[in-house]
């Protein structure tokens, strides 16, 4: 694997990030990757409204509802984005001690340990700088590689919604997972 550096997503790089996300989402629902987002194949892209909400959340202070923080993995030589991880506030009140996780790795960088590195960055920040106690996530139950990765990192299954989505003629279950963060040693 080429040298990769993980850095916070900067507002000035957001347009490049959206381009990366749209390319990443082109794999959603394809035969070699399956569904990793609850979106139809034909609509697997970041809408302008969704991009605007993401960008606004990046600029929202941590002590306010709706915050989000993101990191990108970049090829050190080319600057191309190879993957990302983001943490965001839960929408429900009284959940300030928890956050939700999003993660993606570009098709050319999968199966190389990059997801683990990105998750390590997110965990370190959540535990240390943010002082959070839990990271939660939702994953399509058919996404076995993601479930295996999360379980290997200590996430536990806390629930499942059978037949949560009906997309492109498929019935898809949804799994909820959580990781209790240990204080830094």
């Amino acid at each position: 694997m080429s040298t990769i550096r993980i850095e916070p997503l900067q507002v000035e790089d957001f347009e490049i990030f959206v381009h990366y996300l749209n390319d990443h989402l082109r794999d959603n629902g394809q035969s070699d990757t399956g569904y990793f987002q609850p979106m139809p194949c034909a609509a697997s892209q970041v809408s302008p409204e969704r991009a605007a909400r993401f960008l606004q959340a990046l600029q929202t202070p941590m002590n306010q509802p709706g915050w989000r923080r993101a990191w990108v993995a970049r090829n050190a030589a080319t600057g191309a984005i190879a993957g990302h991880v983001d943490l965001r506030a839960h929408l429900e009140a009284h959940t300030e001690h928890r956050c939700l996780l999003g993660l993606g790795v570009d098709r050319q960088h999968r199966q190389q340990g990059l997801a683990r590195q990105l998750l390590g960055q997110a965990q370190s920040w959540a535990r240390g700088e943010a002082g959070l106690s839990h990271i939660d996530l939702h994953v399509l139950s058919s996404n076995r590689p993601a479930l295996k990765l999360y379980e290997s990192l200590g996430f536990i299954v806390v629930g499942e919604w059978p037949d949560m989505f009906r997309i492109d003629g498929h019935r898809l279950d949804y799994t909820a997972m959580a990781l209790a963060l240990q204080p830094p040693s």
Side-chain angles (χ1 to χ4, degrees):
M1 176 163 65
S2 58
T3 304
I4 298 288
R5 67 178 190 270
I6 297 174
E7 57 192 38
L9 175 60
Q10 302 297 321
V11 170
E12 57 269 16
D13 292 332
F14 191 72
E15 189 173 322
I16 294 165
F17 177 67
V18 171
H19 178 75
Y20 148 80
L21 280 180
N22 282 325
D23 181 58
H24 176 67
L25 288 170
R26 284 195 345 229
D27 293 344
N28 186 51
Q30 300 304 312
S31 60
D32 55 337
T33 55
Y35 287 90
F36 54 84
Q37 283 292 315
M39 318 169 101
C41 291
S44 290
Q45 61 185 358
V46 179
S47 70
E49 297 80 16
R50 187 174 176 195
R53 286 191 308 270
F54 195 117
L55 181 58
Q56 181 172 349
L58 284 175
Q59 299 172 76
T60 301
M62 280 285 302
N63 62 352
Q64 293 183 16
W67 64 265
R68 184 185 294 241
R69 297 297 177 269
W71 296 264
V72 292
R74 291 185 179 270
N75 179 304
T78 67
I81 297 175
H84 78 283
V85 65
D86 68 272
L87 299 174
R88 65 188 183 279
H90 276 277
L91 297 175
E92 298 84 0
H94 313 293
T95 59
E96 295 82 9
H97 59 291
R98 305 181 80 99
C99 65
L100 286 166
L101 172 82
L103 174 72
V105 175
D106 180 74
R107 70 187 66 81
Q108 296 175 352
H109 297 277
R110 293 180 188 141
Q111 303 296 315
Q112 298 176 21
L114 185 53
R116 283 184 183 281
Q117 291 176 30
L118 286 161
L119 284 165
Q121 170 65 41
Q123 286 177 1
S124 177
W125 180 86
R127 180 184 309 111
E129 187 174 331
L132 300 171
S133 65
H134 291 80
I135 297 176
D136 304 316
L137 63 88
H138 301 124
V139 60
L140 291 169
S141 304
S142 58
N143 189 345
R144 299 302 310 158
L147 287 168
K148 183 178 176 183
L149 170 68
Y150 297 135
E151 288 172 346
S152 75
L153 293 169
F155 283 85
I156 59 168
V157 173
V158 294
E160 184 174 50
W161 295 276
D163 197 14
M164 179 70 167
F165 301 103
R166 294 187 180 179
I167 301 172
D168 296 332
H170 302 279
R171 293 173 185 241
L172 300 169
D173 301 342
Y174 216 27
T175 299
M177 301 181 83
L179 175 69
L181 297 171
Q182 302 300 319
S185 46

